Amino acid sequence: MSENKAAEASNEPQNSQDLTVFVQNLLQQMQGRFQTMSDAIIERIDEMGNRIDDLEKSIADLMTQAGFDEAEAKKEAEDIQQKAQQQAQGKGDQAAAAAPSGGKRS
């Protein structure tokens, strides 16, 4: 156990100049490690972006092969929405017509 303490003591800076050099070296090592990690993260993000681009292209190709047209799909969706609104309006009109007329009798 005293050997470990002796080894640690030999690695520890002995004066303020040694301390400065030690801290600078430590900071340089940390900066190098952070730069390495940063580069790896950026590389992975770039790879993911490329994979997403490939996926989008594959989806577009499949849609083309299936005869799917984006403009046509939008028009169909709008038509369905309009029909749903018209049906909702029609039900509202039917409910109003079926409601009692406020007690007026002829």
Side-chain angles (χ1 to χ4, degrees), residues 18 23 35 49 53 63-64 78 87 92:
D18 288 345
V23 170
Q35 186 62 47
D53 290 344
M63 289 170 62
T64 301
E78 289 172 358
Q87 287 178 349

PDB file of all heavy atoms in Angstrom, residues 18 23 35 49 53 63-64 78 87 92:
ATOM      1  N   ASP A  18       5.247  22.843 -11.885  1.00  0.00           N
ATOM      2  CA  ASP A  18       4.851  21.474 -12.223  1.00  0.00           C
ATOM      3  C   ASP A  18       3.333  21.347 -12.271  1.00  0.00           C
ATOM      4  O   ASP A  18       2.788  20.653 -13.126  1.00  0.00           O
ATOM      5  CB  ASP A  18       5.413  20.487 -11.191  1.00  0.00           C
ATOM      6  CG  ASP A  18       6.917  20.299 -11.303  1.00  0.00           C
ATOM      7  OD1 ASP A  18       7.492  20.689 -12.337  1.00  0.00           O
ATOM      8  OD2 ASP A  18       7.509  19.757 -10.340  1.00  0.00           O
ATOM      9  N   VAL A  23      -1.681  20.523 -15.177  1.00  0.00           N
ATOM     10  CA  VAL A  23      -3.041  20.943 -15.517  1.00  0.00           C
ATOM     11  C   VAL A  23      -3.165  21.176 -17.023  1.00  0.00           C
ATOM     12  O   VAL A  23      -4.160  20.779 -17.644  1.00  0.00           O
ATOM     13  CB  VAL A  23      -3.448  22.203 -14.716  1.00  0.00           C
ATOM     14  CG1 VAL A  23      -4.743  22.789 -15.244  1.00  0.00           C
ATOM     15  CG2 VAL A  23      -3.558  21.868 -13.234  1.00  0.00           C
ATOM     16  N   GLN A  35     -12.857  16.140 -28.503  1.00  0.00           N
ATOM     17  CA  GLN A  35     -12.846  16.319 -29.957  1.00  0.00           C
ATOM     18  C   GLN A  35     -13.118  14.990 -30.650  1.00  0.00           C
ATOM     19  O   GLN A  35     -13.879  14.927 -31.612  1.00  0.00           O
ATOM     20  CB  GLN A  35     -11.505  16.902 -30.423  1.00  0.00           C
ATOM     21  CG  GLN A  35     -11.476  17.258 -31.896  1.00  0.00           C
ATOM     22  CD  GLN A  35     -12.484  18.337 -32.245  1.00  0.00           C
ATOM     23  OE1 GLN A  35     -12.578  19.353 -31.566  1.00  0.00           O
ATOM     24  NE2 GLN A  35     -13.244  18.121 -33.304  1.00  0.00           N
ATOM     25  N   GLY A  49     -28.409  10.870 -41.403  1.00  0.00           N
ATOM     26  CA  GLY A  49     -28.987  11.730 -42.436  1.00  0.00           C
ATOM     27  C   GLY A  49     -28.978  11.040 -43.785  1.00  0.00           C
ATOM     28  O   GLY A  49     -29.970  11.098 -44.535  1.00  0.00           O
ATOM     29  N   ASP A  53     -32.205   9.954 -46.025  1.00  0.00           N
ATOM     30  CA  ASP A  53     -32.341  10.331 -47.440  1.00  0.00           C
ATOM     31  C   ASP A  53     -32.606   9.103 -48.310  1.00  0.00           C
ATOM     32  O   ASP A  53     -33.462   9.137 -49.201  1.00  0.00           O
ATOM     33  CB  ASP A  53     -31.076  11.051 -47.926  1.00  0.00           C
ATOM     34  CG  ASP A  53     -30.905  12.432 -47.316  1.00  0.00           C
ATOM     35  OD1 ASP A  53     -31.893  12.975 -46.755  1.00  0.00           O
ATOM     36  OD2 ASP A  53     -29.774  12.970 -47.383  1.00  0.00           O
ATOM     37  N   MET A  63     -43.786   4.493 -54.055  1.00  0.00           N
ATOM     38  CA  MET A  63     -45.030   5.208 -54.340  1.00  0.00           C
ATOM     39  C   MET A  63     -45.205   5.361 -55.852  1.00  0.00           C
ATOM     40  O   MET A  63     -46.313   5.208 -56.376  1.00  0.00           O
ATOM     41  CB  MET A  63     -45.039   6.567 -53.644  1.00  0.00           C
ATOM     42  CG  MET A  63     -45.184   6.454 -52.135  1.00  0.00           C
ATOM     43  SD  MET A  63     -44.933   7.992 -51.237  1.00  0.00           S
ATOM     44  CE  MET A  63     -46.245   9.005 -51.863  1.00  0.00           C
ATOM     45  N   THR A  64     -44.112   5.634 -56.542  1.00  0.00           N
ATOM     46  CA  THR A  64     -44.176   5.766 -58.002  1.00  0.00           C
ATOM     47  C   THR A  64     -44.546   4.429 -58.639  1.00  0.00           C
ATOM     48  O   THR A  64     -45.395   4.376 -59.537  1.00  0.00           O
ATOM     49  CB  THR A  64     -42.819   6.255 -58.551  1.00  0.00           C
ATOM     50  OG1 THR A  64     -42.511   7.511 -57.950  1.00  0.00           O
ATOM     51  CG2 THR A  64     -42.857   6.411 -60.056  1.00  0.00           C
ATOM     52  N   GLU A  78     -59.037  15.788 -49.621  1.00  0.00           N
ATOM     53  CA  GLU A  78     -59.909  16.963 -49.542  1.00  0.00           C
ATOM     54  C   GLU A  78     -61.353  16.590 -49.860  1.00  0.00           C
ATOM     55  O   GLU A  78     -62.285  17.070 -49.203  1.00  0.00           O
ATOM     56  CB  GLU A  78     -59.410  18.056 -50.489  1.00  0.00           C
ATOM     57  CG  GLU A  78     -58.117  18.717 -50.039  1.00  0.00           C
ATOM     58  CD  GLU A  78     -57.538  19.652 -51.085  1.00  0.00           C
ATOM     59  OE1 GLU A  78     -58.114  19.775 -52.196  1.00  0.00           O
ATOM     60  OE2 GLU A  78     -56.490  20.262 -50.798  1.00  0.00           O
ATOM     61  N   GLN A  87     -71.989  15.717 -44.781  1.00  0.00           N
ATOM     62  CA  GLN A  87     -72.805  14.773 -44.024  1.00  0.00           C
ATOM     63  C   GLN A  87     -73.103  15.315 -42.633  1.00  0.00           C
ATOM     64  O   GLN A  87     -74.222  15.189 -42.144  1.00  0.00           O
ATOM     65  CB  GLN A  87     -72.095  13.421 -43.923  1.00  0.00           C
ATOM     66  CG  GLN A  87     -72.102  12.643 -45.222  1.00  0.00           C
ATOM     67  CD  GLN A  87     -71.341  11.330 -45.114  1.00  0.00           C
ATOM     68  OE1 GLN A  87     -70.642  11.092 -44.134  1.00  0.00           O
ATOM     69  NE2 GLN A  87     -71.472  10.486 -46.123  1.00  0.00           N
ATOM     70  N   GLY A  92     -77.154  17.820 -39.117  1.00  0.00           N
ATOM     71  CA  GLY A  92     -77.557  18.984 -38.315  1.00  0.00           C
ATOM     72  C   GLY A  92     -78.843  19.581 -38.830  1.00  0.00           C
ATOM     73  O   GLY A  92     -79.731  19.949 -38.059  1.00  0.00           O
TER      74      GLY A  92
END
